[in-house]
Amino acid sequence: KLYFYRSSHDEGSMDSWKETMRIHVAFLRQLYLRYNRGYGYVHNGLRAPDTCEGLDSFFHGRGPAARYTVIHSRFLDGNAEWRLEKLAKTVGITVEGGALTMAPAYVKSILKPLEMLDHPIILLSDGQLPSVERGLLNDPVLGPNMMVLSGKVALEGSDVALAVLADVFIGNPASVTSGFIARSRFALGYSEESTQLFRRKRIHQWHRVCNDECVFNPWMLGQWV
């Protein structure tokens, strides 16, 4: 229910999902009104962490003043590749060098127009595709600004919040979590250009192939969940 997934065989017109999208957006806005301030306990019985405190400590006290990008890289035990191939056929994204491998040229094509190349870039990775981390760290432009959080290393549950609040989010549409982050950012009013999941390479340039409403469309969701 949190993700509002619907089958592509749901009854109704092709545009009926837009009404559900409006409900979903309202739900997400309510959700983020109650961010975790470290009160009470979570489901496993441990004391709830303070999300804002975790983010602030990550940026060494700079807090809201920090401008940064989050890259969400997922291999998903090999499942990411075939999910992206399905999206390539239906939406037209380019898999190789794009959302799967997060090639430096792909990342720079997004960050350069937004003037974000000189700001911190945080890679949230499942650690299953080491070439992603190596490629970004070895790039002379991106490497000096890279910070890597791989595997289960996280900010006590603040990693999703880190991505939602980023100035720029570059996600992998094969990942359910990337989709949730993108929908959250839409609900919170982030610009279309600052949330990137669906891109295609034409000749030597990368272009967006789907607007930010795509992550609410059940016919789209059915391709990767």
Side-chain angles (χ1 to χ4, degrees):
K1 292 182 179 180
L2 176 63
Y3 293 104
F4 276 69
Y5 291 153
R6 297 292 187 88
S7 167
S8 59
H9 302 294
D10 283 353
E11 295 181 0
S13 69
M14 288 291 288
D15 290 330
S16 62
W17 61 271
K18 291 189 176 181
E19 178 57 33
T20 302
M21 181 187 78
R22 286 189 283 271
I23 298 170
H24 193 174
V25 166
F27 172 83
L28 287 169
R29 288 173 179 167
Q30 284 292 117
L31 176 68
Y32 285 103
L33 286 175
R34 297 181 59 82
Y35 54 88
N36 198 332
R37 295 303 304 272
Y39 304 126
Y41 297 86
V42 294
H43 62 88
N44 57 9
L46 298 177
R47 182 171 292 279
D50 187 325
T51 300
C52 294
E53 186 178 276
L55 296 180
D56 192 52
S57 64
F58 184 76
F59 288 109
H60 306 292
R62 284 183 293 167
R67 299 191 68 202
Y68 65 96
T69 294
V70 165
I71 299 172
H72 192 241
S73 172
R74 289 293 184 268
F75 191 58
L76 306 173
D77 297 321
N79 290 318
E81 190 167 9
W82 70 261
R83 292 182 185 181
L84 289 172
E85 291 293 349
K86 288 179 67 178
L87 280 170
K89 294 176 182 177
T90 56
V91 185
I93 65 169
T94 299
V95 178
E96 187 61 35
L100 180 65
T101 58
M102 296 291 178
Y106 174 76
V107 174
K108 286 186 284 191
S109 74
I110 296 170
L111 298 186
K112 186 176 180 179
L114 299 174
E115 299 182 347
M116 288 294 292
L117 287 175
D118 295 326
H119 296 278
I121 304 168
I122 301 165
L123 175 64
L124 300 178
S125 168
D126 58 12
Q128 296 179 8
L129 205 59
S131 58
V132 172
E133 184 176 327
R134 285 198 304 268
L136 294 172
L137 287 172
N138 290 332
D139 184 83
V141 176
L142 302 176
N145 296 316
M146 289 296 305
M147 292 182 280
V148 179
L149 297 177
S150 62
K152 293 187 178 297
V153 177
L155 306 174
E156 293 190 330
S158 300
D159 46 345
V160 170
L162 186 73
V164 170
L165 298 174
D167 292 86
V168 182
F169 174 69
I170 303 173
N172 182 338
S175 165
V176 170
T177 304
S178 274
F180 175 71
I181 292 167
R183 288 188 291 279
S184 296
R185 290 171 61 84
F186 178 92
L188 295 175
Y190 282 86
S191 70
E192 189 172 88
E193 293 76 17
S194 71
T195 304
Q196 298 283 346
L197 275 79
F198 307 99
R199 292 176 71 82
R200 179 180 183 177
K201 191 174 185 180
R202 299 191 184 102
I203 307 178
H204 299 296
Q205 294 187 326
W206 289 92
H207 302 272
R208 189 185 187 96
V209 294
C210 198
N211 65 27
D212 50 1
E213 291 185 356
C214 280
V215 290
F216 292 95
N217 190 326
W219 287 272
M220 288 287 301
L221 292 171
Q223 299 302 320
W224 86 79
V225 299

